[in-house]
């Protein structure tokens, strides 16, 4: 599954912000640009694992174009993180 992520830029005092709009309450941050995808994947996997343990449904990813007009994500960059769902059940 490929989840879109929204990324806020960093500056001298703040890290990159990472938001996963298809998973309510799932977000992360990264001090280094190179760690954005690893941090996003870790946040998604932990969140989805918690949903599974609680017996809740896993939200399906949507296309990032669904979120681009949302003012909450205005000015953010977009990327996609590939999640292998089978890893959650191992």
């Amino acid at each position: 599954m490929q989840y879109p992520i929204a990324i806020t830029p960093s500056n001298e005092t703040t890290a990159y912000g990472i938001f996963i709009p298809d998973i309510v309450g799932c977000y992360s941050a990264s001090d280094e640009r190179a760690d954005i995808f690893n941090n996003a994947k870790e946040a998604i996997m932990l969140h989805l694992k918690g949903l599974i343990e609680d017996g809740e449904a896993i939200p399906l990813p949507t296309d990032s174009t669904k979120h681009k007009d949302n003012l909450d994500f205005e000015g953010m960059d977009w990327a996609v993180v590939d999640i292998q769902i089978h890893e959650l059940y191992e």
Side-chain angles (χ1 to χ4, degrees):
M1 300 177 122
Q2 295 190 330
Y3 284 92
I5 62 172
I7 307 161
T8 62
S10 70
N11 60 38
E12 290 120 21
T13 59
T14 62
Y16 294 95
I18 306 164
F19 300 91
I20 299 85
D22 291 326
I23 307 173
V24 176
C26 187
Y27 52 88
S28 187
S30 177
D31 289 325
E32 302 295 327
R33 185 170 190 79
D35 295 330
I36 288 173
F37 291 100
N38 288 335
N39 292 5
K41 181 176 180 175
E42 180 180 26
I44 293 168
M45 294 292 282
L46 287 171
H47 202 98
L48 295 181
K49 192 169 261 190
L51 291 174
I52 291 168
E53 289 171 359
D54 291 343
E56 297 184 36
I58 294 176
L60 297 175
T62 62
D63 190 280
S64 64
T65 57
K66 173 185 172 189
H67 305 289
K68 287 185 179 178
D69 292 332
N70 183 332
L71 295 178
D72 290 339
F73 304 112
E74 186 174 8
M76 294 186 190
D77 293 326
W78 290 90
V80 175
V81 174
D82 187 45
I83 299 298
Q84 300 297 315
I85 294 298
H86 70 275
E87 293 177 10
L88 295 168
Y89 296 96
E90 294 177 350

